[in-house]
C-alpha cells in the first residue's frame, strides 16, 4: 500500500518534526515498497495558486523597495527550496541588489560551517541583508543562521519567508519581518518546496492527496 502526504499531519512520530526532518524521517523509516512510486502520477491539490503567489510576492517586493529606498539590499537565498521565491521576489524589488546563496544543512548546533556546505561568496559587512526562506516552522535552523550572520556585521539583518507555520515554532528569537502566507500545519510541495527532490517545479503550492487511478 502506498502512503501519501496527509500521513505527515497525523502520525505522532512525525507530526512534531520540522518540514525537512519529516522528509528525513520518512526516507529512513519506510521501505522502498511503501514509498511513493514516482513512475505514477499523483493527485496534488492546489493550496496557493500561481496568481496568489505572484500577487503576494509583488506586495512584499514593494514593501522592501519602500523600506530601503535610496539604499541597496543583499538577498541571501537559502538553498534549495527558496530559489523560486528568491528569484521572483528579486524581480519585484526596485533597488540596487546583490544576490547570494547559502546552504545551512550542515551547520548543526554550532555557528561555524562544517566546510562541506555552500557559504556566501562575499562579505556582508555594512550590507542590508535579507534572508530569504521558503518555509519556517520550528525556527531552529534560522535561529542559528541569524546568529551566524549577525557576527559578520551587516548594517541590518531581516528575514523574509514565503510560508510560515508559527504554531510549530520552538524558539523565541526568530522575528520574521516579511511573511507571504501563514499556512496550516500540513506538508506542502511546489514552488521550490519538494519531497525527496520531487515537485519543486510546480508553479503553485499544494498537497499530495494520493495516486491518480
Amino acid at each position: 500500500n502506498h502512503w501519501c502526504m496527509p500521513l505527515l499531519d497525523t502520525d505522532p512520530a512525525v507530526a512534531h518534526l520540522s518540514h525537512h526532518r519529516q522528509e528525513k524521517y520518512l526516507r529512513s523509516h519506510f521501505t522502498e515498497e511503501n514509498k511513493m512510486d514516482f513512475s505514477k502520477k499523483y493527485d496534488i491539490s492546489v493550496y496557493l495558486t500561481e496568481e496568489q503567489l505572484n500577487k503576494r510576492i509583488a506586495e512584499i517586493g514593494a514593501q522592501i523597495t519602500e523600506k530601503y529606498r535610496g539604499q541597496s539590499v543583499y538577498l541571501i537565498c537559502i538553498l534549495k527550496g527558496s530559489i523560486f521565491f528568491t528569484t521572483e521576489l528579486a524581480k519585484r524589488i526596485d533597488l540596487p541588489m546583490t544576490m547570494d546563496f547559502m546552504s545551512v544543512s550542515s551547520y548543526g548546533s554550532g555557528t561555524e560551517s562544517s566546510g562541506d556546505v555552500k557559504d556566501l561568496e562575499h562579505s556582508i559587512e555594512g550590507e542590508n541583508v535579507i534572508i530569504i526562506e521558503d518555509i519556517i516552522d520550528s525556527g531552529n535552523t534560522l535561529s542559528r543562521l541569524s546568529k551566524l550572520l549577525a557576527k559578520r556585521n551587516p548594517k541590518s539583518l531581516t528575514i523574509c519567508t514565503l510560508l510560515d507555520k508559527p504554531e510549530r515554532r520552538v524558539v523565541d528569537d526568530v522575528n520574521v519581518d516579511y511573511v507571504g502566507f501563514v499556512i496550516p500545519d500540513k506538508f506542502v510541495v511546489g514552488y521550490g518546496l519538494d519531497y525527496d527532490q520531487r515537485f519543486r517545479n510546480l508553479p503553485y503550492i499544494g498537497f499530495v492527496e494520493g495516486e491518480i487511478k
Side-chain angles (χ1 to χ4, degrees):
N1 295 327
H2 290 288
W3 60 269
C4 60
M5 287 299 174
L7 172 65
L8 294 170
D9 307 319
T10 58
D11 186 343
V14 179
H16 69 285
L17 300 176
S18 70
H19 181 92
H20 299 295
R21 289 185 179 275
Q22 285 176 358
E23 292 182 33
K24 184 176 180 181
Y25 176 92
L26 290 172
R27 285 197 296 269
S28 63
H29 285 75
F30 286 83
T31 65
E32 290 300 321
E33 290 77 11
N34 288 330
K35 286 187 178 181
M36 281 186 176
D37 180 356
F38 289 111
S39 66
K40 298 179 180 179
K41 294 182 179 180
Y42 283 83
D43 179 19
I44 299 177
S45 63
V46 178
Y47 178 65
L48 294 169
T49 67
E50 187 172 11
E51 291 73 20
Q52 288 175 294
L53 293 167
N54 286 336
K55 181 177 183 294
R56 183 63 184 127
I57 292 171
E59 292 170 351
I60 295 174
Q63 291 172 2
I64 292 173
T65 298
E66 182 61 30
K67 178 177 179 179
Y68 294 100
R69 190 171 299 281
Q71 305 178 66
S72 62
V73 292
Y74 195 115
L75 303 189
I76 299 179
C77 172
I78 305 303
L79 298 172
K80 302 176 184 176
S82 303
I83 291 177
F84 279 43
F85 179 39
T86 302
T87 54
E88 292 302 316
L89 179 62
K91 291 189 290 187
R92 293 164 172 84
I93 298 176
D94 187 18
L95 296 170
M97 177 188 302
T98 299
M99 289 179 64
D100 212 336
F101 302 86
M102 193 173 198
S103 174
V104 298
S105 61
S106 295
Y107 277 93
S109 60
T111 57
E112 297 297 327
S113 166
S114 63
D116 58 352
V117 299
K118 186 191 183 309
D119 205 341
L120 301 175
E121 295 184 0
H122 304 287
S123 169
I124 60 172
E125 185 171 0
E127 300 282 358
N128 292 309
V129 172
I130 305 176
I131 302 171
I132 311 295
E133 270 282 20
D134 53 351
I135 185 169
I136 301 174
D137 41 34
S138 72
N140 280 321
T141 299
L142 196 55
S143 174
R144 295 193 296 268
L145 177 61
S146 297
K147 291 182 177 68
L148 170 70
L149 294 178
K151 291 182 178 181
R152 301 183 183 183
N153 300 315
K155 180 179 180 180
S156 64
L157 182 63
T158 59
I159 297 170
C160 177
T161 185
L162 179 60
L163 306 175
D164 191 17
K165 295 182 180 179
E167 65 188 88
R168 296 183 68 92
R169 203 79 84 245
V170 298
V171 296
D172 58 9
D173 61 348
V174 171
N175 299 311
V176 186
D177 303 275
Y178 302 98
V179 176
F181 300 90
V182 175
I183 65 169
D185 189 11
K186 290 181 177 292
F187 194 91
V188 288
V189 296
Y191 213 79
L193 289 152
D194 74 302
Y195 171 73
D196 202 19
Q197 305 305 323
R198 308 288 180 136
F199 307 120
R200 288 191 195 277
N201 61 314
L202 296 177
Y204 55 83
I205 289 173
F207 306 112
V208 177
E209 302 291 359
E211 182 182 338
I212 297 176
K213 300 299 184 181

